[in-house]
Amino acid sequence: MDVFNLNLNTKIISDIKTKPVEHGVDMFVRDMIKTLHEGVENTIILAYDKSLGEEDYVVRFSQDNLTMNIYAAEDLGFIYALLYISETFMYVDPFWFWMDQTIEKREEDVLIPAQDYYSAPAKVKYRGWFINDEVLLAVWDIDGDKDKPWEMAFEALLRCGGNMVIPGTDANSRHYRKLASDMGLAI
């Protein structure tokens, strides 16, 4: 069976410089650091394919299986593809942060079957949640960062395939709209 060896030496190459894709790549790299060890040098390339639908992605491999190509028409497609790989092959749960999931480095290589992977069509256009009791989240900080709990809530939403959020109802909720938007979520 042909496989792609995902490891810490896998480089991510992208000319896409949007904040949502940068956040998505950062999440993926963090997952790699937590779960993978060093291995064969190879590459993940992110590239636009405007023939794909909104939020869709396709993952394909080069003939030598040293390059994973991720194609999407827009930001969320790239984010969903990266998070799909993280959950399916690195076993990072969508709620890892909220469940205190212990993520350990794997002893074996992460071998991804070198076949085409296609996103599943969304059942509804807008998928998300309303963050209730935002005043409780607003007073919490992680390592001195008051935005981090919100970032982790938005990350969990993206990992679940969400694309929109209502970040609270009071005047302070406006503070987190930019962060949600920067991560690719509609308000």
Side-chain angles (χ1 to χ4, degrees):
M1 171 175 57
D2 290 336
V3 295
F4 178 84
N5 184 348
L6 182 64
N7 62 75
L8 277 178
N9 290 347
T10 301
K11 303 211 181 326
I12 301 172
I13 298 173
S14 174
D15 290 332
I16 303 158
K17 302 298 180 198
T18 65
K19 285 187 179 191
V21 171
E22 288 174 356
H23 272 281
V25 168
D26 289 346
M27 287 185 278
F28 187 76
V29 168
R30 184 192 59 225
D31 293 350
M32 288 174 62
I33 291 168
K34 287 181 179 220
T35 61
L36 304 176
H37 60 84
E38 293 186 5
V40 176
E41 285 189 23
N42 54 23
T43 307
I44 297 173
I45 297 175
L46 306 182
Y48 283 117
D49 180 344
K50 296 298 184 177
S51 71
L52 293 171
E54 189 176 325
E55 300 181 4
D56 291 343
Y57 64 83
V58 175
V59 178
R60 292 196 171 105
F61 298 87
S62 63
Q63 279 202 276
D64 61 8
N65 297 322
L66 292 176
T67 303
M68 174 192 294
N69 296 290
I70 298 176
Y71 300 103
E74 49 80 50
D75 293 344
L76 284 176
F78 293 112
I79 294 167
Y80 293 152
L82 291 168
L83 297 178
Y84 166 79
I85 294 163
S86 179
E87 181 179 7
T88 304
F89 299 104
M90 291 187 276
Y91 308 119
V92 177
D93 189 88
F95 291 99
W96 71 270
F97 173 82
W98 303 99
M99 298 179 347
D100 289 327
Q101 177 185 1
T102 301
I103 301 173
E104 297 177 12
K105 285 211 182 267
R106 296 172 56 147
E107 294 295 324
E108 70 280 357
D109 291 345
V110 175
L111 303 177
I112 301 174
Q115 62 190 35
D116 291 351
Y117 295 90
Y118 298 90
S119 56
K123 304 260 190 243
V124 294
K125 183 167 176 78
Y126 295 108
R127 306 164 311 279
W129 54 49
F130 162 62
I131 297 182
N132 197 12
D133 293 331
E134 69 276 4
V135 293
L136 299 176
L137 247 135
V139 296
W140 183 27
D141 71 74
I142 299 171
D143 298 327
D145 186 350
K146 289 198 172 287
D147 290 344
K148 196 67 172 179
W150 289 88
E151 182 180 332
M152 299 314 297
F154 299 150
E155 177 180 321
L157 176 58
L158 287 165
R159 287 180 183 270
C160 290
N163 62 2
M164 60 80 61
V165 68
I166 302 169
T169 56
D170 72 356
N172 290 330
S173 70
R174 296 188 186 283
H175 174 72
Y176 302 104
R177 287 181 179 179
K178 181 174 180 349
L179 176 61
S181 179
D182 285 349
M183 292 182 73
L185 295 166
I187 307 299

